[in-house]
Amino acid sequence: MTIVVVCVAASATELIARARVIAQAARVISLCTEAEGDNRAYIACGADEIVCIPYRDDPCAQGTLIADALEKLKPDAALFPATVHGRFLSAWAAAKLQTGLTADCTGLSLTEEGNLLQTRPAFGGNLTAQILCKNHRPQMASVRPGVFPPAVPTECEANIPLRALPLQTVKRFLEPVAFTPSEDIVPLQSAGIVVTGGKGIGGKSGFETLSELAGLLGGALGATRGAVDAGWIGYAHQVGQTGVAVRPKLYLAFGVSGMVQHIAGMNGAETVIAVNNDRLAPIFDYADYGIVADWRETAETMIRYLKERKEEK
Amino acid sequence: MKILVCVKQVPETNEVKLGADYTLQREFTAQSLNLADESALELGLALRDACGGTVTVMTMGPASAEGMLRELLARGADEAVLLNDPAFAGADTLATARTLKAAHDKLGGFDLVFCGRRASDGETGQVGPMLASLLDIPCVSNATDVRIRNDDGSPATMEIDQLLENGVQTWRCRLPAVATFCEWSRRLRLPTIAGLRVAGRADIHRLTRPDLELPADRCGLAGSPTRVIRVSAKPAGLRQCEKLTVEALLAKGVLG
């Protein structure tokens, strides 16, 4: 069995490590573009081989090259990091190859027959679906950064040979014009503490309270898809299957019901505290501590407590 | 300028009904227009208002989707196309993209194809880029704004802003092209009285599988390379939850 991991974002190392776990005997190929810096990291994370293809500053052309490379490598499976760029490349390449693609997988394993069993939240995000692509190759899947644990690199040789693949020439589709860096990057993924608000917090003003709490805790402010779709807060704050997957030490969920698509983005947290006035909310099944109470009173009690602690110090 | 806007009806709630083969039973679930599609349609309408041309809205779905298409005509779309055939049901993203491509070609092609960046039910974001890949024309996903440059006689180009994790990348390309837009990029205009009057008696152009000359094994569930084999309500990773008061929690020192 051969698994290709398309290395177009840093989280590709998580996928290489995962590929190693699910198929110990498999050949794991790291497919890189020439723009990638330290290729050795991929070997250290478990790849057997690095195949290098030309870099294009044009996602459509890059996707065509990746499809061509997969056509030549003929792997059983191809995994993509589900960044904006990575998921575009995966969709573009899957259509060229006329094969199946499952977006934002939260679980990958092998069936007894050796097919890739792909798990993802589905149907509005409140059910978990298991998906197979039995009759087409490669079986393609994308995975959000942070969904699988980070790879633990091992020592490896200094000079790893790169295999270059001769590929077709591709026309240019898109011309880059300008890049404007975001002023408001939400450090959700690196945050040790995440404070998240859901539809239950009622509106924009709820996030002001939670923002104060997050600030006092030195944490980042998260939101559920429902709160983002309602326009209460920017998409950059979204935690979940189609937002950011976080793995903080402490996760506080206020007014979050606990839909499957949200659980997919926070269940890697070390400790989870859920606050909801509905004692039957599913979020409590994924929390270590549950407070059945009004979210605002609870948040304000926490804020007062943290302010008092600060003054004591 | 010929503009095609691909739209989708999505369940209004998260309580959905599934069939025996784990496909969504759309007739039993209240449906509304997918949020991101509102941005795609409004940007299409705004470009038409500025440059001239037509906006065609197209959806693949059950006969009941006609109501939504009529509403979009009332909001300013010029034509509406319903891709409706039992053979289209249960399509995954590739089978959907193939069906949209067949309809796109059948309708004579377009200068611009706009979609929402993802649907709120499937949330894959794959159909737009797959459609562009099948058409082999430029595509920008996750877009927030678009401008058309049509300077003195030279071929029209599109400038388009793509929202990335760390900023905004602006791209330029020739037409025809595909773009998928983020939710809240634009608010969709309201229906007008005149629009409602026109929409009530407008023809909805219905296309079936034979109309598209699409083989049965290329569309719907039969043409889908991926298959849902099992559905469960609870994801793994349940925790033992200790219910307590906020005071008890603070006393434990969990917040420091």
Side-chain angles (χ1 to χ4, degrees):
Chain A
M1 171 168 209
T2 305
I3 301 176
V4 166
V5 175
V6 181
C7 299
V8 290
S11 68
T13 54
E14 297 162 13
L15 301 184
I16 292 171
R18 184 68 198 166
R20 258 300 57 105
V21 170
I22 62 173
Q24 273 144 18
R27 180 161 189 76
V28 179
I29 300 176
S30 153
L31 183 66
C32 303
T33 66
E34 286 155 355
E36 285 291 313
D38 186 10
N39 289 313
R40 281 201 314 136
Y42 299 124
I43 297 288
C45 295
D48 297 299
E49 189 185 10
I50 293 170
V51 171
C52 212
I53 61 169
Y55 170 75
R56 292 279 182 276
D57 58 354
D58 170 350
C60 304
Q62 190 74 68
T64 303
L65 287 177
I66 289 169
D68 190 19
L70 292 174
E71 183 101 58
K72 295 194 162 76
L73 293 168
K74 299 207 184 311
D76 300 281
L79 310 180
F80 289 72
T83 55
V84 172
H85 184 53
R87 55 196 301 125
F88 177 86
L89 295 174
S90 67
W92 184 276
K96 291 273 181 253
L97 297 167
Q98 295 283 306
T99 190
L101 168 63
T102 306
D104 297 324
C105 292
T106 52
L108 292 174
S109 57
L110 289 186
T111 63
E112 277 172 25
E113 300 85 48
N115 288 312
L116 187 69
L117 185 65
Q118 305 156 80
T119 306
R120 80 183 296 264
F123 304 111
N126 218 8
L127 293 170
T128 306
Q130 294 194 317
I131 297 165
L132 285 181
C133 173
K134 272 191 190 161
N135 304 322
H136 295 75
R137 292 293 179 269
Q139 306 160 85
M140 288 175 56
S142 69
V143 181
R144 294 252 162 188
V147 165
F148 292 129
V152 183
T154 55
E155 286 293 313
C156 67
E157 290 170 45
N159 291 312
I160 305 297
L162 300 181
R163 171 146 71 107
L165 263 189
L167 297 177
Q168 56 168 304
T169 53
V170 287
K171 64 176 176 187
R172 183 176 272 286
F173 292 78
L174 295 167
E175 195 95 47
V177 177
F179 178 73
T180 317
S182 169
E183 285 165 19
D184 174 35
I185 291 179
V186 184
L188 270 174
Q189 252 182 316
S190 55
I193 298 178
V194 175
V195 179
T196 289
K199 275 296 270 290
I201 69 164
K204 273 183 188 166
S205 75
F207 280 108
E208 286 165 25
T209 307
L210 293 185
S211 174
E212 186 182 4
L213 177 60
L216 285 165
L217 287 166
L221 186 61
T224 64
R225 187 184 72 191
V228 171
D229 282 354
W232 298 346
I233 193 166
Y235 171 69
H237 292 270
Q238 187 176 322
V239 174
Q241 181 203 8
T242 53
V244 174
V246 297
R247 299 180 160 271
K249 281 202 160 339
L250 183 62
Y251 189 83
L252 292 99
F254 290 88
V256 173
S257 64
M259 285 185 58
V260 171
Q261 55 86 7
H262 184 72
I263 304 300
M266 50 65 76
N267 215 7
E270 216 169 279
T271 303
V272 176
I273 301 171
V275 183
N276 199 311
N277 56 11
D278 174 7
R279 64 183 180 84
L280 297 176
I283 186 73
F284 290 123
D285 294 337
Y286 298 90
D288 301 286
Y289 300 104
I291 299 171
V292 182
D294 179 71
W295 78 269
R296 189 182 286 278
E297 279 170 26
T298 306
E300 282 168 356
T301 307
M302 288 177 174
I303 288 169
R304 269 198 309 278
Y305 167 84
L306 291 166
K307 279 184 175 163
E308 280 164 22
R309 288 288 303 253
K310 234 180 193 172
E311 278 163 23
E312 282 167 25
K313 276 179 193 167
Chain B
M1 183 96 58
K2 265 183 90 182
I3 304 169
L4 176 67
V5 181
C6 300
V7 298
K8 186 181 184 187
Q9 269 194 315
V10 293
E12 268 176 30
T13 69
N14 300 308
E15 308 299 322
V16 298
K17 227 180 156 63
L18 300 182
D21 51 4
Y22 299 125
T23 58
L24 199 56
Q25 299 290 289
R26 291 181 190 278
E27 6 354 331
F28 299 114
T29 313
Q31 306 273 316
S32 62
L33 177 65
N34 178 47
L35 184 61
D37 301 353
E38 292 193 18
S39 299
L41 178 54
E42 181 54 39
L43 282 155
L45 294 172
L47 280 183
R48 176 206 60 190
D49 294 346
C51 314
T54 56
V55 170
T56 303
V57 284
M58 179 165 85
T59 194
M60 183 176 93
S64 56
E66 210 184 287
M68 173 191 71
L69 290 175
R70 278 194 200 282
E71 188 198 321
L72 301 184
L73 289 171
R75 287 175 189 259
D78 301 287
E79 282 163 34
V81 180
L82 174 62
L83 309 180
N84 174 241
D85 195 305
F88 296 156
D92 72 358
T93 54
L94 182 63
T96 302
R98 279 194 199 119
T99 309
L100 296 179
K101 185 205 181 258
H104 167 280
D105 294 348
K106 181 83 191 168
L107 295 166
F110 292 83
D111 300 302
L112 287 170
V113 181
F114 287 176
C115 312
R117 67 150 166 186
R118 62 172 189 203
S120 64
D121 54 354
E123 291 214 278
T124 69
Q126 289 172 182
V127 172
M130 281 180 160
L131 172 61
S133 179
L134 296 177
L135 292 166
D136 207 39
I137 60 175
C139 178
V140 173
S141 63
N142 240 46
T144 54
D145 202 5
V146 58
R147 300 165 293 279
I148 296 293
R149 304 232 176 281
N150 207 348
D151 310 325
D152 34 79
S154 56
T157 58
M158 171 170 86
E159 248 185 47
I160 183 157
D161 301 331
Q162 181 185 39
L163 183 64
L164 296 173
E165 286 83 354
N166 58 349
V168 174
Q169 173 70 50
T170 302
W171 301 96
R172 185 186 297 132
C173 66
R174 291 267 183 90
L175 305 187
V178 177
T180 75
F181 290 95
C182 296
E183 300 82 356
W184 301 111
S185 305
R186 281 290 190 290
R187 213 175 259 279
L188 180 58
R189 60 190 66 182
L190 294 169
T192 59
I193 302 286
L196 284 167
R197 216 172 278 141
V198 173
R201 37 171 208 268
D203 281 330
I204 305 284
H205 192 26
R206 181 165 171 254
L207 292 171
T208 61
R209 190 183 65 77
D211 294 331
L212 299 182
E213 294 162 59
L214 198 60
D217 63 353
R218 304 281 290 167
C219 59
L221 192 60
S224 297
T226 63
R227 197 61 58 96
V228 175
I229 57 153
R230 205 169 301 130
V231 168
S232 55
K234 290 258 175 212
L238 292 169
R239 298 177 191 229
Q240 198 62 48
C241 184
E242 179 186 345
K243 296 268 175 71
L244 36 55
T245 62
V246 61
E247 289 76 16
L249 181 83
L250 294 173
K252 280 181 183 279
V254 180
L255 294 194

